[in-house]
Amino acid sequence: MGLIEVNGIRAYAYHGCLTEEGRIGGHYSVDVAIDTDLTQAETTDKLHDTIDYGRVTAIVKEQMDERANLVEVVARRIIEALKAEWPGRARWRVRLTKEHPPVAGAVDHVVYTLEG
């Protein structure tokens, strides 16, 4: 088994329940981890035998571009899109960070983590 992590995928998106969030948007960061059998890639040295982290980044950005009220919904869409691209027995983890959410008090960020 091997673990690939694609960390710090940056996006500016318009998620949130407040009207202002839909107009103004905010900064997000997404981390993706894939735990899967990469034995073939370890021996072939071929991109098609592994998880292409360029494609992972593109999928995350595609899903971040589609507005939602809740980051939970966005994380679910990301993980489902990744699983559709690479079906199989991989274990996926998506960690979605919303920076400086508009809540009472000073909050640096909130994080939602989904595994599947």
Side-chain angles (χ1 to χ4, degrees):
M1 296 299 280
L3 177 67
I4 293 176
E5 296 181 64
V6 184
N7 295 318
I9 303 168
R10 307 287 299 159
Y12 196 88
Y14 299 86
H15 309 303
C17 293
L18 301 177
T19 304
E20 295 80 21
E21 292 175 293
R23 278 188 298 122
I24 299 168
H27 294 279
Y28 294 81
S29 178
V30 179
D31 301 330
V32 176
I34 311 100
D35 190 2
T36 192
D37 182 0
L38 296 167
T39 306
Q40 188 168 354
E42 293 168 4
T43 58
T44 66
D45 199 27
K46 302 291 183 194
L47 182 60
H48 62 78
D49 290 330
T50 190
I51 305 296
D52 178 351
Y53 41 83
R55 183 69 186 124
V56 168
T57 301
I59 288 170
V60 167
K61 289 187 175 192
E62 289 165 10
Q63 296 305 316
M64 290 297 292
D65 284 345
E66 186 178 331
R67 188 182 180 333
N69 287 331
L70 302 176
V71 294
E72 293 88 338
V73 170
V74 181
R76 172 58 61 188
R77 285 197 321 243
I78 291 169
I79 210 165
E80 293 301 328
L82 292 166
K83 289 167 107 177
E85 183 84 10
W86 293 281
R89 297 179 8 186
R91 292 281 305 155
W92 294 89
R93 184 178 71 242
V94 172
R95 179 181 154 100
L96 197 156
T97 302
K98 182 175 188 173
E99 299 174 7
H100 307 291
V103 297
V107 176
D108 186 49
H109 59 272
V110 295
V111 178
Y112 181 70
T113 301
L114 180 62
E115 295 185 5

